[in-house]
């Protein structure tokens, strides 16, 4: 859980509004975008950790609200990342076939991860976990955590470095 601790922070910025398109057409470079996306990651990890704690401490009444917050933060992050990050990078890396293919593969993988995460969240928002379903809930939650953490590490160590003016 060292990674969770490292990722957590109290003074987090929310991802800011979409900036105007650049004059040449397309998405304009935003020098704050990567920092904002990383802040989103911290917030997602914080909420995930709070969900895990609530379940471990049998505070099942807290989980529905935490799942709702996680879903909103996750969907907002994905929307900004898809519209502002991926579109910009794909536009600017179009001449490099290897990088373009890497970006397309990573984007496709993220869409698959997002579907699985949102399916989990929707399932337990519709029927919140109870002490009787805690084992199944925790098993599914434990399956999602490592995938999200691996994804955050990939994005922050390799993918975000492609975002250049």
């Amino acid at each position: 859980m060292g990674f969770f601790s490292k990722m957590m922070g109290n003074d987090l910025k929310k991802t800011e509004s979409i900036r105007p398109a650049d004059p040449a057409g397309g998405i304009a470079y935003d020098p704050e975008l990567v920092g904002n996306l990383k802040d989103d990651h911290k917030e997602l990890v914080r909420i995930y950790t709070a969900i895990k704690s609530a379940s471990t401490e049998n505070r099942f009444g807290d989980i529905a609200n935490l799942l709702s917050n996680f879903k909103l933060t996750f969907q907002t992050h994905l929307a900004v990342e898809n519209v502002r990050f991926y579109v910009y990078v794909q536009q600017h890396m179009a001449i490099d076939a290897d990088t373009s293919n890497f970006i397309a593969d990573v984007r496709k993988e993220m869409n698959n991860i997002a579907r699985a995460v949102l399916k989990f969240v929707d399932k337990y928002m519709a029927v919140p976990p109870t002490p009787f379903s805690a084992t199944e809930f925790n098993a599914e939650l434990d399956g999602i955590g490592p995938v999200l953490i691996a994804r955050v590490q990939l994005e922050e160590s390799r993918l975000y470095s492609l975002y250049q003016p």
Side-chain angles (χ1 to χ4, degrees), residues 17-128:
S17 63
I18 295 176
R19 299 213 188 264
D22 75 24
I27 303 296
Y29 177 78
D30 177 358
E32 297 176 6
L33 179 63
V34 169
N36 291 339
L37 292 172
K38 287 180 178 182
D39 287 345
D40 289 350
H41 289 163
K42 290 175 188 173
E43 182 65 5
L44 287 165
V45 170
R46 185 195 67 74
I47 299 168
Y48 174 88
T49 303
I51 294 167
K52 185 90 172 130
S53 294
S55 181
T56 302
E57 297 165 6
N58 296 318
R59 293 183 289 112
F60 296 104
D62 295 346
I63 292 176
N65 186 47
L66 289 166
L67 287 172
S68 179
N69 289 339
F70 184 87
K71 181 178 182 178
L72 178 62
T73 303
F74 188 65
Q75 287 179 315
T76 302
H77 174 79
L78 291 176
V80 170
E81 194 171 65
N82 276 322
V83 172
R84 296 183 55 211
F85 176 81
Y86 282 116
V87 171
Y88 177 89
V89 172
Q90 284 181 311
Q91 287 172 350
H92 289 83
M93 296 291 182
I95 58 172
D96 181 350
D98 289 336
T99 303
S100 291
N101 289 335
F102 168 70
I103 293 165
D105 288 346
V106 169
R107 191 175 191 182
K108 182 178 176 182
E109 178 186 298
M110 186 64 233
N111 288 336
N112 292 333
I113 292 169
R115 275 192 292 282
V117 168
L118 292 173
K119 182 178 175 182
F120 164 81
V121 170
D122 287 342
K123 173 182 177 179
Y124 288 105
M125 283 178 65
V127 180

